[in-house]
Amino acid sequence: MNVGLKTQILPAGEAAVAAAGRALAEGALVAFPTETVYGLGADATNPAAIARLYEAKGRPAFNPLITHVGDLSAATRIGRFDARAIALAEAFWPGPLTLVLPKTGDCTVADLATAGLDSIAIRVPAHPVARDILRAFGGPVVAPSANLSGHVSPTTAAHVQSDLAGRIDLIVDGGAVAVGVESTIVGCFDEPMLLRPGGVPRGEIERVLGRALLQPPEDANSDTGQPLAPGMLASHYAPRTRVRLNAGRIDAGEALLAFGSNAVPGVDAATAVLNLSAQGDLTEAAANLFGYLRALDAKGARAIAVMPVPHHGLGEAINDRLRRAAVGRE
Ligand code: TXA
Ligand code: MG
């Protein structure tokens, strides 16, 4: 077991980046900020390190990981890019887009990281600390969100600490992240498919492709169906408190997660109120989402009542995470 490790926490900077590069090379587990959420990094070519990563997260081993690299040229060594994939990489990398592609014949990423699939999920992150760490390490790094499996993704180093202290080696603290929801995942199959809505809105991707993204089959996103993006278990982003969606009023004992105006019936009796964005700004709402879910989860409310969030732009990713947070609890 990893449990019982001493977890070092270093403020982002030259010393932390160097320590992170060294730790990754030794097979250690390093949490670091990306622009979307904090990731828990391990050397993508080191099966023992990846096994420890699954164990630290308590993550089912059939759930494949995203491999992070510094640039497109490093990406083409592990994934086979067709013209469409190149166009997406050039438009959105570095940034919150993950591409699922066929593995190259000489891909060095461990089979354990791809859960034995012949495809690989690749992303070039934009966060300067993530980029510096990738450069210092010099190889591909797998990094799922740095939370216990099933918990809400971390958007600050303190969130990482509360889930993983004692289970991982190092946390690099680069402050709060900018985007707040995970990367958009596009499957570059014969027909490009939106496997997970995320930090790049669907419309921007469709504009570059000049066509609509396919939806995965309904049952690909459930716990029982055969998952296409196997991590998309229906209840993946769950606080412990029950989550009630599309709330138009607050019942006694509930906490309110608002969007836009707070003025809903019953709000005065709410256990706690947080507003994702009083201005109704979806970018601000995405950045606040996971932190606010964590904060309201700690209030001991009967339920977290969530006001409706519009579905356009980043709203698709926000509503996806909210739906998963509510699964099985409504
Ligand atoms: O923003 C992000 O993407 C963050 C940061 C840390 O980069 N990472 C992240 O990783 O969200 P994770 O492990 O929480 O989510 C990985 C997702 C899962 O849904 C997994 O099933 C899917 O990527 N995935 C990985 N490899 C895949 C593959 N070969 N085919 C289909 N889906 C894949
Ligand atoms: Mg995750």
Side-chain angles (χ1 to χ4, degrees), residues 203-261:
E204 290 185 23
I205 295 167
E206 293 181 335
R207 210 166 306 128
V208 170
L209 290 173
R211 56 178 295 162
L213 286 165
L214 292 189
Q215 281 295 116
E218 254 314 303
D219 65 354
N221 286 346
S222 74
D223 281 324
T224 49
Q226 180 56 259
L228 255 177
M232 304 212 51
L233 302 178
S235 66
H236 193 67
Y237 297 90
R240 285 172 293 271
T241 312
R242 190 171 75 91
V243 173
R244 185 167 73 81
L245 300 180
N246 292 318
R249 57 173 166 61
I250 304 306
D251 294 334
E254 286 187 328
L256 172 63
L257 185 60
F259 180 85
S261 164

Short mmCIF file of all heavy atoms in Angstrom, two decimals, residues 203-261:
data_model
loop_
_atom_site.label_atom_id
_atom_site.label_comp_id
_atom_site.label_asym_id
_atom_site.label_seq_id
_atom_site.Cartn_x
_atom_site.Cartn_y
_atom_site.Cartn_z
N GLY A 203 -18.65 23.36 -29.80
CA GLY A 203 -18.80 24.18 -30.99
C GLY A 203 -17.46 24.60 -31.59
O GLY A 203 -17.31 24.66 -32.82
N GLU A 204 -16.48 24.87 -30.73
CA GLU A 204 -15.16 25.30 -31.23
C GLU A 204 -14.48 24.15 -31.98
O GLU A 204 -13.78 24.36 -32.96
CB GLU A 204 -14.27 25.75 -30.07
CG GLU A 204 -14.72 27.06 -29.45
CD GLU A 204 -13.76 27.57 -28.38
OE1 GLU A 204 -12.56 27.19 -28.40
OE2 GLU A 204 -14.23 28.33 -27.51
N ILE A 205 -14.67 22.93 -31.47
CA ILE A 205 -14.07 21.76 -32.12
C ILE A 205 -14.77 21.49 -33.45
O ILE A 205 -14.13 21.23 -34.47
CB ILE A 205 -14.17 20.54 -31.17
CG1 ILE A 205 -13.34 20.80 -29.92
CG2 ILE A 205 -13.72 19.26 -31.87
CD1 ILE A 205 -13.59 19.84 -28.79
N GLU A 206 -16.09 21.59 -33.44
CA GLU A 206 -16.85 21.33 -34.66
C GLU A 206 -16.51 22.36 -35.74
O GLU A 206 -16.48 22.06 -36.93
CB GLU A 206 -18.35 21.31 -34.34
CG GLU A 206 -18.70 20.11 -33.45
CD GLU A 206 -20.17 20.00 -33.09
OE1 GLU A 206 -20.87 21.03 -33.10
OE2 GLU A 206 -20.62 18.86 -32.80
N ARG A 207 -16.21 23.58 -35.31
CA ARG A 207 -15.83 24.62 -36.28
C ARG A 207 -14.52 24.23 -36.98
O ARG A 207 -14.38 24.37 -38.20
CB ARG A 207 -15.69 25.97 -35.57
CG ARG A 207 -16.02 27.15 -36.46
CD ARG A 207 -16.21 28.44 -35.65
NE ARG A 207 -17.18 28.30 -34.57
CZ ARG A 207 -16.95 28.63 -33.30
NH1 ARG A 207 -15.76 29.09 -32.92
NH2 ARG A 207 -17.89 28.50 -32.40
N VAL A 208 -13.56 23.72 -36.23
CA VAL A 208 -12.28 23.32 -36.83
C VAL A 208 -12.46 22.10 -37.73
O VAL A 208 -11.89 22.02 -38.82
CB VAL A 208 -11.23 23.03 -35.72
CG1 VAL A 208 -9.98 22.37 -36.30
CG2 VAL A 208 -10.87 24.32 -35.00
N LEU A 209 -13.30 21.15 -37.30
CA LEU A 209 -13.50 19.93 -38.09
C LEU A 209 -14.39 20.19 -39.30
O LEU A 209 -14.39 19.42 -40.27
CB LEU A 209 -14.15 18.84 -37.23
CG LEU A 209 -13.28 18.23 -36.13
CD1 LEU A 209 -14.11 17.29 -35.27
CD2 LEU A 209 -12.08 17.49 -36.73
N GLY A 210 -15.19 21.25 -39.22
CA GLY A 210 -16.16 21.51 -40.29
C GLY A 210 -17.28 20.49 -40.31
O GLY A 210 -17.92 20.26 -41.34
N ARG A 211 -17.53 19.84 -39.17
CA ARG A 211 -18.60 18.85 -39.08
C ARG A 211 -18.99 18.64 -37.62
O ARG A 211 -18.26 19.03 -36.72
CB ARG A 211 -18.15 17.53 -39.69
CG ARG A 211 -16.88 17.01 -39.03
CD ARG A 211 -16.43 15.69 -39.58
NE ARG A 211 -17.42 14.68 -39.23
CZ ARG A 211 -17.52 13.51 -39.85
NH1 ARG A 211 -16.69 13.20 -40.82
NH2 ARG A 211 -18.43 12.64 -39.50
N ALA A 212 -20.13 17.98 -37.44
CA ALA A 212 -20.60 17.73 -36.07
C ALA A 212 -19.84 16.55 -35.48
O ALA A 212 -19.45 15.62 -36.19
CB ALA A 212 -22.09 17.44 -36.08
N LEU A 213 -19.61 16.59 -34.17
CA LEU A 213 -19.03 15.46 -33.45
C LEU A 213 -20.13 14.45 -33.16
O LEU A 213 -21.24 14.83 -32.77
CB LEU A 213 -18.43 15.93 -32.13
CG LEU A 213 -17.12 16.71 -32.22
CD1 LEU A 213 -16.85 17.43 -30.90
CD2 LEU A 213 -15.96 15.77 -32.55
N LEU A 214 -19.83 13.16 -33.34
CA LEU A 214 -20.80 12.14 -32.96
C LEU A 214 -20.89 12.07 -31.44
O LEU A 214 -19.95 12.38 -30.72
CB LEU A 214 -20.36 10.76 -33.47
CG LEU A 214 -20.38 10.52 -34.97
CD1 LEU A 214 -20.12 9.03 -35.22
CD2 LEU A 214 -21.70 10.94 -35.58
N GLN A 215 -22.06 11.61 -30.97
CA GLN A 215 -22.26 11.31 -29.56
C GLN A 215 -21.92 9.85 -29.34
O GLN A 215 -22.26 9.02 -30.17
CB GLN A 215 -23.73 11.49 -29.20
CG GLN A 215 -24.18 12.91 -29.00
CD GLN A 215 -23.50 13.55 -27.81
OE1 GLN A 215 -22.75 14.50 -28.01
NE2 GLN A 215 -23.73 13.06 -26.62
N PRO A 216 -21.29 9.49 -28.21
CA PRO A 216 -21.13 8.05 -27.94
C PRO A 216 -22.51 7.44 -27.73
O PRO A 216 -23.44 8.13 -27.31
CB PRO A 216 -20.30 8.00 -26.67
CG PRO A 216 -20.26 9.38 -26.13
CD PRO A 216 -20.77 10.33 -27.16
N PRO A 217 -22.66 6.13 -28.00
CA PRO A 217 -23.94 5.48 -27.75
C PRO A 217 -24.34 5.68 -26.29
O PRO A 217 -23.48 5.72 -25.42
CB PRO A 217 -23.68 4.00 -28.03
CG PRO A 217 -22.32 3.93 -28.65
CD PRO A 217 -21.63 5.24 -28.47
N GLU A 218 -25.65 5.80 -26.03
CA GLU A 218 -26.18 6.07 -24.68
C GLU A 218 -25.51 5.21 -23.60
O GLU A 218 -25.05 5.71 -22.59
CB GLU A 218 -27.69 5.80 -24.64
CG GLU A 218 -28.54 7.05 -24.59
CD GLU A 218 -28.10 8.11 -23.60
OE1 GLU A 218 -28.01 7.79 -22.40
OE2 GLU A 218 -27.83 9.25 -24.02
N ASP A 219 -25.47 3.90 -23.85
CA ASP A 219 -25.03 3.00 -22.78
C ASP A 219 -23.51 3.03 -22.57
O ASP A 219 -22.99 2.43 -21.66
CB ASP A 219 -25.52 1.57 -23.01
CG ASP A 219 -24.90 0.96 -24.26
OD1 ASP A 219 -24.19 1.69 -24.98
OD2 ASP A 219 -25.13 -0.23 -24.50
N ALA A 220 -22.78 3.77 -23.43
CA ALA A 220 -21.34 3.88 -23.22
C ALA A 220 -21.03 4.68 -21.97
O ALA A 220 -19.94 4.60 -21.43
CB ALA A 220 -20.68 4.54 -24.43
N ASN A 221 -22.00 5.47 -21.50
CA ASN A 221 -21.73 6.34 -20.36
C ASN A 221 -22.30 5.82 -19.06
O ASN A 221 -22.35 6.53 -18.08
CB ASN A 221 -22.33 7.73 -20.63
CG ASN A 221 -21.48 8.47 -21.65
OD1 ASN A 221 -20.37 8.05 -21.93
ND2 ASN A 221 -22.01 9.54 -22.18
N SER A 222 -22.75 4.60 -19.04
CA SER A 222 -23.35 4.12 -17.80
C SER A 222 -22.44 3.11 -17.12
O SER A 222 -21.47 2.62 -17.70
CB SER A 222 -24.70 3.47 -18.09
OG SER A 222 -24.48 2.22 -18.70
N ASP A 223 -22.74 2.81 -15.89
CA ASP A 223 -21.94 1.85 -15.15
C ASP A 223 -22.07 0.45 -15.73
O ASP A 223 -21.18 -0.37 -15.61
CB ASP A 223 -22.39 1.81 -13.69
CG ASP A 223 -21.81 2.97 -12.91
OD1 ASP A 223 -20.67 3.36 -13.19
OD2 ASP A 223 -22.51 3.49 -12.04
N THR A 224 -23.21 0.18 -16.35
CA THR A 224 -23.48 -1.18 -16.80
C THR A 224 -23.07 -1.40 -18.25
O THR A 224 -22.68 -2.49 -18.63
CB THR A 224 -24.99 -1.48 -16.66
OG1 THR A 224 -25.70 -0.39 -17.25
CG2 THR A 224 -25.38 -1.62 -15.22
N GLY A 225 -23.16 -0.36 -19.05
CA GLY A 225 -22.87 -0.52 -20.47
C GLY A 225 -21.39 -0.71 -20.72
O GLY A 225 -20.55 -0.59 -19.83
N GLN A 226 -21.04 -1.01 -21.95
CA GLN A 226 -19.64 -1.16 -22.34
C GLN A 226 -19.08 0.24 -22.58
O GLN A 226 -19.48 0.92 -23.51
CB GLN A 226 -19.61 -1.99 -23.63
CG GLN A 226 -18.21 -2.26 -24.16
CD GLN A 226 -17.31 -2.92 -23.15
OE1 GLN A 226 -16.49 -2.28 -22.53
NE2 GLN A 226 -17.47 -4.22 -22.94
N PRO A 227 -18.20 0.73 -21.71
CA PRO A 227 -17.79 2.13 -21.85
C PRO A 227 -16.82 2.35 -23.02
O PRO A 227 -15.88 1.59 -23.18
CB PRO A 227 -17.09 2.43 -20.52
CG PRO A 227 -16.98 1.14 -19.79
CD PRO A 227 -17.54 0.04 -20.63
N LEU A 228 -17.09 3.38 -23.80
CA LEU A 228 -16.18 3.77 -24.88
C LEU A 228 -15.01 4.57 -24.31
O LEU A 228 -13.87 4.38 -24.67
CB LEU A 228 -16.93 4.64 -25.87
CG LEU A 228 -17.33 3.97 -27.19
CD1 LEU A 228 -18.12 4.93 -28.01
CD2 LEU A 228 -16.13 3.44 -27.94
N ALA A 229 -15.36 5.54 -23.47
CA ALA A 229 -14.34 6.18 -22.64
C ALA A 229 -14.59 5.57 -21.27
O ALA A 229 -15.46 6.00 -20.54
CB ALA A 229 -14.52 7.69 -22.60
N PRO A 230 -13.84 4.52 -20.94
CA PRO A 230 -14.24 3.68 -19.81
C PRO A 230 -14.32 4.44 -18.50
O PRO A 230 -14.94 3.99 -17.56
CB PRO A 230 -13.15 2.61 -19.76
CG PRO A 230 -12.53 2.63 -21.12
CD PRO A 230 -12.63 4.03 -21.60
N GLY A 231 -13.68 5.61 -18.41
CA GLY A 231 -13.76 6.37 -17.16
C GLY A 231 -15.08 7.05 -16.97
O GLY A 231 -15.33 7.65 -15.93
N MET A 232 -15.92 6.99 -17.97
CA MET A 232 -17.15 7.76 -17.88
C MET A 232 -18.23 6.99 -17.13
O MET A 232 -19.34 6.83 -17.60
CB MET A 232 -17.60 8.18 -19.27
CG MET A 232 -16.47 8.94 -19.94
SD MET A 232 -16.96 10.21 -21.07
CE MET A 232 -18.11 11.17 -20.16
N LEU A 233 -17.85 6.46 -15.97
CA LEU A 233 -18.83 5.81 -15.12
C LEU A 233 -19.88 6.84 -14.75
O LEU A 233 -19.58 8.00 -14.53
CB LEU A 233 -18.16 5.27 -13.86
CG LEU A 233 -17.02 4.28 -14.12
CD1 LEU A 233 -16.38 3.85 -12.81
CD2 LEU A 233 -17.52 3.08 -14.90
N ALA A 234 -21.13 6.39 -14.68
CA ALA A 234 -22.22 7.35 -14.54
C ALA A 234 -22.06 8.25 -13.31
O ALA A 234 -22.35 9.43 -13.36
CB ALA A 234 -23.54 6.60 -14.49
N SER A 235 -21.60 7.69 -12.19
CA SER A 235 -21.53 8.52 -10.99
C SER A 235 -20.08 8.86 -10.67
O SER A 235 -19.56 8.54 -9.62
CB SER A 235 -22.14 7.79 -9.80
OG SER A 235 -21.36 6.65 -9.50
N HIS A 236 -19.40 9.52 -11.58
CA HIS A 236 -17.95 9.68 -11.43
C HIS A 236 -17.55 10.86 -10.55
O HIS A 236 -16.52 10.84 -9.93
CB HIS A 236 -17.31 9.82 -12.81
CG HIS A 236 -15.84 9.68 -12.80
ND1 HIS A 236 -15.23 8.49 -12.49
CD2 HIS A 236 -14.84 10.56 -13.01
CE1 HIS A 236 -13.92 8.65 -12.54
NE2 HIS A 236 -13.66 9.89 -12.86
N TYR A 237 -18.35 11.89 -10.52
CA TYR A 237 -17.91 13.15 -9.91
C TYR A 237 -18.74 13.46 -8.67
O TYR A 237 -19.34 14.50 -8.56
CB TYR A 237 -18.02 14.29 -10.90
CG TYR A 237 -17.15 14.10 -12.10
CD1 TYR A 237 -17.61 13.44 -13.22
CD2 TYR A 237 -15.84 14.56 -12.09
CE1 TYR A 237 -16.79 13.25 -14.31
CE2 TYR A 237 -15.02 14.37 -13.17
CZ TYR A 237 -15.50 13.72 -14.28
OH TYR A 237 -14.69 13.53 -15.35
N ALA A 238 -18.78 12.51 -7.73
CA ALA A 238 -19.83 12.56 -6.73
C ALA A 238 -19.38 13.14 -5.40
O ALA A 238 -18.46 12.63 -4.78
CB ALA A 238 -20.37 11.16 -6.52
N PRO A 239 -20.06 14.18 -4.90
CA PRO A 239 -19.93 14.53 -3.49
C PRO A 239 -20.69 13.49 -2.66
O PRO A 239 -21.47 12.71 -3.22
CB PRO A 239 -20.61 15.90 -3.38
CG PRO A 239 -21.21 16.21 -4.69
CD PRO A 239 -20.98 15.06 -5.62
N ARG A 240 -20.48 13.49 -1.34
CA ARG A 240 -21.21 12.53 -0.51
C ARG A 240 -22.67 12.95 -0.34
O ARG A 240 -23.56 12.13 -0.24
CB ARG A 240 -20.54 12.41 0.87
CG ARG A 240 -19.25 11.59 0.82
CD ARG A 240 -18.52 11.65 2.16
NE ARG A 240 -18.02 12.99 2.41
CZ ARG A 240 -16.82 13.42 2.01
NH1 ARG A 240 -16.01 12.61 1.37
NH2 ARG A 240 -16.43 14.65 2.26
N THR A 241 -22.88 14.25 -0.30
CA THR A 241 -24.25 14.77 -0.12
C THR A 241 -25.05 14.55 -1.41
O THR A 241 -24.51 14.66 -2.50
CB THR A 241 -24.19 16.28 0.18
OG1 THR A 241 -23.22 16.50 1.22
CG2 THR A 241 -25.53 16.82 0.62
N ARG A 242 -26.34 14.25 -1.24
CA ARG A 242 -27.22 14.09 -2.41
C ARG A 242 -27.25 15.40 -3.20
O ARG A 242 -27.23 16.49 -2.63
CB ARG A 242 -28.62 13.77 -1.90
CG ARG A 242 -29.60 13.35 -2.96
CD ARG A 242 -30.88 12.85 -2.28
NE ARG A 242 -31.66 13.96 -1.75
CZ ARG A 242 -32.62 14.58 -2.43
NH1 ARG A 242 -32.90 14.22 -3.67
NH2 ARG A 242 -33.28 15.57 -1.88
N VAL A 243 -27.28 15.28 -4.51
CA VAL A 243 -27.31 16.46 -5.38
C VAL A 243 -28.65 16.47 -6.12
O VAL A 243 -29.04 15.48 -6.73
CB VAL A 243 -26.14 16.43 -6.39
CG1 VAL A 243 -26.28 17.57 -7.40
CG2 VAL A 243 -24.80 16.54 -5.64
N ARG A 244 -29.36 17.60 -6.01
CA ARG A 244 -30.68 17.73 -6.67
C ARG A 244 -30.56 18.78 -7.77
O ARG A 244 -30.24 19.94 -7.48
CB ARG A 244 -31.72 18.14 -5.62
CG ARG A 244 -33.13 18.19 -6.15
CD ARG A 244 -34.13 18.28 -5.01
NE ARG A 244 -34.15 19.60 -4.36
CZ ARG A 244 -34.81 20.65 -4.85
NH1 ARG A 244 -35.47 20.57 -5.98
NH2 ARG A 244 -34.81 21.82 -4.20
N LEU A 245 -30.81 18.36 -9.01
CA LEU A 245 -30.61 19.25 -10.15
C LEU A 245 -31.84 20.09 -10.47
O LEU A 245 -32.95 19.78 -10.03
CB LEU A 245 -30.23 18.42 -11.39
CG LEU A 245 -28.95 17.58 -11.24
CD1 LEU A 245 -28.67 16.82 -12.53
CD2 LEU A 245 -27.76 18.47 -10.88
N ASN A 246 -31.63 21.14 -11.27
CA ASN A 246 -32.71 21.98 -11.79
C ASN A 246 -33.63 22.50 -10.71
O ASN A 246 -34.85 22.52 -10.86
CB ASN A 246 -33.52 21.21 -12.83
CG ASN A 246 -32.69 20.96 -14.07
OD1 ASN A 246 -31.97 21.87 -14.52
ND2 ASN A 246 -32.73 19.76 -14.59
N ALA A 247 -33.03 22.89 -9.59
CA ALA A 247 -33.84 23.33 -8.46
C ALA A 247 -34.45 24.70 -8.75
O ALA A 247 -33.75 25.63 -9.16
CB ALA A 247 -32.97 23.40 -7.20
N GLY A 248 -35.76 24.83 -8.53
CA GLY A 248 -36.44 26.12 -8.69
C GLY A 248 -36.82 26.70 -7.34
O GLY A 248 -37.35 27.81 -7.25
N ARG A 249 -36.59 25.93 -6.27
CA ARG A 249 -36.86 26.38 -4.90
C ARG A 249 -35.92 25.59 -3.97
O ARG A 249 -35.38 24.55 -4.39
CB ARG A 249 -38.32 26.11 -4.50
CG ARG A 249 -38.61 24.65 -4.65
CD ARG A 249 -39.94 24.17 -4.17
NE ARG A 249 -40.14 22.82 -4.71
CZ ARG A 249 -39.36 21.78 -4.47
NH1 ARG A 249 -38.37 21.87 -3.63
NH2 ARG A 249 -39.57 20.60 -5.04
N ILE A 250 -35.73 26.10 -2.75
CA ILE A 250 -34.87 25.40 -1.78
C ILE A 250 -35.74 24.82 -0.69
O ILE A 250 -36.55 25.53 -0.09
CB ILE A 250 -33.88 26.40 -1.16
CG1 ILE A 250 -33.07 27.10 -2.25
CG2 ILE A 250 -32.93 25.68 -0.19
CD1 ILE A 250 -32.40 26.15 -3.20
N ASP A 251 -35.59 23.53 -0.41
CA ASP A 251 -36.32 22.91 0.69
C ASP A 251 -35.51 23.06 1.98
O ASP A 251 -34.30 23.28 1.94
CB ASP A 251 -36.55 21.42 0.39
CG ASP A 251 -37.47 21.22 -0.80
OD1 ASP A 251 -38.28 22.13 -1.07
OD2 ASP A 251 -37.36 20.18 -1.49
N ALA A 252 -36.20 22.90 3.11
CA ALA A 252 -35.55 23.04 4.41
C ALA A 252 -34.34 22.10 4.50
O ALA A 252 -34.42 20.94 4.10
CB ALA A 252 -36.55 22.71 5.52
N GLY A 253 -33.24 22.63 5.00
CA GLY A 253 -32.05 21.80 5.21
C GLY A 253 -31.18 21.62 3.98
O GLY A 253 -30.16 20.94 4.04
N GLU A 254 -31.56 22.23 2.87
CA GLU A 254 -30.74 22.09 1.66
C GLU A 254 -29.74 23.23 1.54
O GLU A 254 -29.97 24.34 2.02
CB GLU A 254 -31.63 22.09 0.40
CG GLU A 254 -32.40 20.80 0.21
CD GLU A 254 -33.12 20.77 -1.13
OE1 GLU A 254 -33.56 21.84 -1.61
OE2 GLU A 254 -33.26 19.68 -1.69
N ALA A 255 -28.63 22.95 0.87
CA ALA A 255 -27.68 23.99 0.49
C ALA A 255 -27.95 24.35 -0.97
O ALA A 255 -28.44 23.51 -1.73
CB ALA A 255 -26.25 23.48 0.64
N LEU A 256 -27.65 25.59 -1.33
CA LEU A 256 -27.93 26.04 -2.70
C LEU A 256 -26.64 26.27 -3.48
O LEU A 256 -25.75 27.00 -3.03
CB LEU A 256 -28.74 27.35 -2.68
CG LEU A 256 -28.93 28.03 -4.05
CD1 LEU A 256 -29.73 27.15 -5.01
CD2 LEU A 256 -29.60 29.39 -3.90
N LEU A 257 -26.54 25.65 -4.64
CA LEU A 257 -25.50 25.99 -5.62
C LEU A 257 -26.21 26.77 -6.72
O LEU A 257 -26.95 26.20 -7.53
CB LEU A 257 -24.84 24.72 -6.16
CG LEU A 257 -23.64 24.97 -7.09
CD1 LEU A 257 -22.53 25.74 -6.38
CD2 LEU A 257 -23.10 23.64 -7.63
N ALA A 258 -26.00 28.09 -6.69
CA ALA A 258 -26.76 28.97 -7.58
C ALA A 258 -25.99 29.26 -8.86
O ALA A 258 -24.78 29.01 -8.97
CB ALA A 258 -27.07 30.28 -6.85
N PHE A 259 -26.71 29.78 -9.84
CA PHE A 259 -26.10 30.28 -11.07
C PHE A 259 -26.91 31.51 -11.49
O PHE A 259 -28.13 31.44 -11.56
CB PHE A 259 -26.13 29.23 -12.18
CG PHE A 259 -25.52 29.73 -13.46
CD1 PHE A 259 -24.15 29.64 -13.68
CD2 PHE A 259 -26.31 30.31 -14.44
CE1 PHE A 259 -23.59 30.12 -14.85
CE2 PHE A 259 -25.75 30.79 -15.62
CZ PHE A 259 -24.39 30.70 -15.82
N GLY A 260 -26.22 32.63 -11.70
CA GLY A 260 -26.94 33.87 -12.02
C GLY A 260 -27.53 34.44 -10.74
O GLY A 260 -26.86 34.54 -9.72
N SER A 261 -28.82 34.74 -10.77
CA SER A 261 -29.47 35.30 -9.57
C SER A 261 -29.63 34.23 -8.49
O SER A 261 -29.91 33.07 -8.79
CB SER A 261 -30.84 35.84 -9.96
OG SER A 261 -31.60 36.02 -8.79
#
